[in-house]
Amino acid sequence: MRPLTQLPAWDALKRHHGAVCNLHMRDLFATDRQRFQKFSLKLDDLLLDYSKNRVTEETMGLLLDLARQSGVEERRDQMFSGAPINSTEARPVLHVALRNRSQRAFLVQGQDVMPEVRRVLAQMRSFVEDLRAGKWLGATGMPIRHIVNIGIGGSDLGPLMVTEALKPYGRDDLTSSFVSNVDGSHIHQILKKCSPETTLFIVASKTFTTLETLANAGTARSWLVQALGEPAVARHFVALSTNAQSVTAFGIDPANMFAFWDWVGGRYSLWSAIGLSIALAIGFSEFEALLAGAFEMDEHFRTAPLATNMPVIMALLGVWYSNFFDAAVHAVLPYDQYLHRFPAYLQQADMESNGKSVTLEGRPVDYATGPVLFGEPGTNGQHAFYQLIHQGTRLVPCDFIAAANSANPVGCHHELLLANFFAQPEALMMGKAADQPYKAFLGNRPSNSLLYARLDPRTLGRLIALYEHKIFVQGVIWQINSFDQWGVELGKQLAKTILPELIDDRALDHHDGSTAGLIAYFRHLRR
Ligand code: F6P
C-alpha cells in the first residue's frame, strides 16, 4: 500500500489548500447562488447540507480523488464480503449483516451467517413479546416492570443512547436503567429504585470477562438472591454474550442467553443481541424499524457513487480539516433533547475506532488521525462552549442535527429550538463586523447540517449507520485498523495488577514514584 502522504491526491490537496485556505465562505456564497444545491445531498427526507464548508468544487474533486486512490470502494466491498479486515484480531467486520433486511448472504469463511442472525432475532422477538405482554414473569409471579442493563463501552453506550433517543416509543409501565461504571455508587443509586420481584437484569458483555460488568452483575445477583433466593436468578437474569461458557459459570441459564459473534465489534453491537434492552423498551417492531433504517444507509453507502455518498462526503470533509487545517476536534451538536447521549455514543464509535497511530502495515503514521469528538444538545451547548467555537483560536468543525417535527410539540418550543439550529451555523459561517474587536466575529467556521422529518427508529438507524460508515471511510484513508482497541485493553490489564496492592501492604517499588506515592497515600487515607 502506498503511504497516504505519497498519494498524488495528497500532494494536490496540499497545494490546493495553500490556494484556498484564505477564501471566505461568505464570498463563496455571494459568488455562487447554486452553492447550497451543489453541496447538499438528500436521502429521502434526510438532508445533508455541507455547503458551509471551506471547499470549492475543485476541493471536493481532489478529496474524491483521495478516496479513490486510498481504495475506499475496494475496502468497503471487502467489509461487505466478510473479508477479515480487522487485521490485528484476524476477524471480519460484519455489523452490516445484523441489519441486513435483504435475502443476501453474508459469508464468514464460506459460511452464511444470516441463518444464525435470524435465529437470534427470532429468540429476541419472542422474549420481548412475552415480557411486554406480561407472560414472562418474575420468580414470585409478578410481571417485569424495570429493566436494568449491566454493561460498559459498546455494551452500554449504544443501547443507552438509543433507548433515550426513542423514549417517545417507550411505555410508562416498563422503565429502563443502565449500569456501567464500576463505581459502586452507580449500581447503588439504581438498585434503590428497583423492586427485586419486578426487575430483570440484562448482563451485556461480548467477552463476559469485563471487570466492571462482572462486578456490577455480581452485586445485582447478590441483591436479588438476598431478597428472593437463588432459584430466582433464572427468572431475573439474562445474558447477551459471545461467551456461553462464562455465562453458564456465572449462573445464568444458557436458555436465557442471546448470542452474538466475534465479527461484531463492541462499539458496533447495538444491532445485535446487545440491542435487547432497546427492543424491550420500544417493542420489537420498532427495533426492526431501527435495523431497517440502518440497512437503508448501508445500501446507500454500498451502492452510491462516491461523489453523492453521504458517509463518504462527511468523511472527506473531516479529513480535509484534520489533515490540511490541523483541526484537532470535531463537535456533534444535536438540536434534540432525546439525542442527549448521541455525542457520548459517538465518542466511543469514533475515538475508539480512529484513535490510532500505526498503519495497517505497522508503520507509525506521520499525519493526524481521528479527532477529539465532543458535543452537547443545543441549545445547552450554546451557553457552555460555543463561545470558543465562535471566537476562539481553534477551528472546530461542527455537525448540527435536527428534526423538522418534534415528538412533543409544546407551544412554540420547537420553532425556538430550530431558530437556533439555523442561526448558529449561519453566524459561524458569516461572522460579524463590529467597532470593538472583542465584538467581532471572523466567521468562516465550517459546519454540516443534518435535517430530517422526525426522530423515529428508522431515522435514528440511518443516522447511526451514517456515522459508522463515515468513521470507516476515514479509517481507510488514514490506513489504520478502525476495528481494534488495544489502547483500552491495556487499561484492563493495569487495573488488575494494582487491585491487590490496594488491599494489602505489599511493596510498591516496581511502580514509578508518582504511582507508588499515590497508592501509599491512598492506603494512609484508608487506615
Ligand atoms: O471499551 C473497550 C471495550 O473493549 C469495547 O470495545 C467494548 O464495547 C467494551 O470494552 C465492553 O466489552 P464487553 O462487551 O466484552 O464487556
Side-chain angles (χ1 to χ4, degrees), residues 150-157 204-214 240-242 260 265-269 274 348 352 483-485 487-489 492:
I150 301 178
I152 196 164
S155 303
D156 168 71
L157 288 161
S205 177
K206 178 175 167 183
T207 56
F208 227 80
T209 58
T210 305
L211 183 137
E212 292 91 336
T213 300
L214 294 185
L240 321 174
S241 189
T242 57
F260 59 113
R267 53 194 172 274
Y268 299 90
S269 64
I274 290 291
Q348 187 200 21
E352 202 168 272
F483 300 104
D484 59 8
Q485 57 284 315
V488 186
E489 307 300 332
K492 291 185 184 176

